[in-house]
């Protein structure tokens, strides 16, 4: 198998339509048709948004003999601008149609996809002839393009991996986990408060003998609240870092919904501590309340 280069790269020999750009050992293919996620054909430059995909078909149509195989790669100049061709590979001997690929914008800015722009690079390799029964053809170019147009509207999503949906879902799941933890402890603390209030109300003569048990419960509750605060702060940092990484892939900053919801949970925990302090000051004997505050 030999790589064709220089004078061996003959447009008329390997193509039946279009104007491929001849390089030293490759041909550059140019964009001939653009189909968006709705399957609509675009004539004017299409502004490909960050994270968005679009289907493009080459203006050039191959006419490969049975002893030549093509190898397609993406243009490195496009990748430097954040545009990646997702489907590249081998062109079988006998192929007599255009090439199609999916362009994906993984940059943070829009990119104009225009007809005539070089987008793929093709190397041709000559080898022993392949039997006619193994040759692969494309059929009519018009039918091939209609198939690509149909796939664009029915198979491919508009954005790669739907990153906006992924980030939003991850944010909601993280906040749901935080809320469950905080609400569970708040509910448990409320029950403890109610029991303490009930005992004080119904059994004031026994408050002095009960003080040591109460002190122990207060210390346990203080410890639980503090552990919740530490766990919440630690989990928040980890989860927000994950969400920030997801959103940065599409150029967004984590400064809206997530931070607002996290702050709400943090305020609930702080209110719980304030309620607990107020309860001690109002309902416990002065010596016991002072002792608890000192601890």
């Amino acid at each position: 198998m030999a790589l064709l280069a220089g004078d061996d790269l003959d447009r008329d020999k390997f193509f039946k339509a279009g104007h491929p750009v001849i390089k030293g050992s490759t041909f550059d293919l140019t964009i001939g048709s653009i189909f968006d996620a709705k399957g609509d054909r675009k004539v004017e430059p299409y502004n490909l948004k960050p994270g968005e995909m679009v289907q493009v078909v080459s203006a050039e149509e191959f006419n490969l003999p049975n002893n030549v195989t093509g190898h397609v790669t993406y243009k490195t100049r496009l990748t430097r601008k954040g545009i990646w061709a997702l489907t590249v590979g081998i062109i079988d001997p006998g192929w007599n149609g255009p090439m199609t690929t999916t362009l994906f914008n993984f940059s943070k800015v829009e990119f104009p996809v225009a007809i005539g722009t070089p987008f793929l690079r093709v190397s041709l390799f000559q080898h022993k002839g392949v039997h006619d029964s193994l040759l692969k053809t494309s059929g009519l170019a018009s039918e091939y393009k209609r198939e690509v147009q149909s796939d664009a509207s029915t198979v491919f999503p508009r954005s790669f991996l739907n990153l906006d949906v992924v980030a939003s879902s991850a944010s909601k799941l993280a906040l749901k986990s935080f809320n469950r933890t905080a609400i569970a402890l708040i509910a448990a603390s409320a029950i403890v408060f109610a029991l303490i209030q009930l005992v004080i109300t119904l059994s004031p003569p026994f408050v002095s003998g009960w003080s040591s048990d109460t002190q122990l419960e207060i210390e346990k509750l203080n410890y639980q609240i503090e552990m919740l605060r530490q766990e919440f702060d630690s989990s928040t940092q980890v989860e927000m870092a994950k969400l920030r990484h997801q959103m940065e892939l599409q150029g967004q900053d984590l400064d809206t919904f997530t931070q607002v919801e996290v702050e709400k949970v943090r305020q609930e925990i702080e209110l719980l501590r304030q309620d607990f302090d107020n309860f001690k000051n109002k309902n416990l004997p002065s010596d016991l309340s002072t002792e608890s505050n000192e601890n």
Side-chain angles (χ1 to χ4, degrees), residues 33-98:
S33 302
I34 305 169
F35 298 102
D36 65 12
K38 297 179 180 179
D40 295 333
R41 185 168 184 168
K42 301 297 180 180
V43 179
E44 299 297 328
Y46 181 78
N47 289 323
L48 192 63
K49 296 179 174 57
E52 188 179 6
M53 299 189 299
V54 70
Q55 307 299 310
V56 291
V57 183
S58 68
E60 294 73 27
E61 296 179 26
F62 285 87
N63 188 29
L64 295 185
N66 69 348
N67 65 338
V68 173
T69 293
H71 180 243
V72 182
T73 59
Y74 43 76
K75 294 283 292 180
T76 55
R77 184 173 61 181
L78 286 181
T79 60
R80 289 197 300 269
K81 295 181 179 180
I83 305 302
W84 187 20
L86 298 181
T87 49
V88 294
I90 300 297
I91 309 175
D92 291 317
W95 183 255
N96 60 351

Side-chain angles (χ1 to χ4, degrees), residues 254-271:
L254 187 60
D255 59 357
T256 53
F257 175 78
T258 301
Q259 291 185 350
V260 171
E261 293 300 319
V262 166
E263 185 59 30
K264 287 181 180 178
V265 178
R266 195 188 303 277
Q267 289 176 1
E268 288 180 359
I269 296 175
E270 186 58 33
L271 289 175

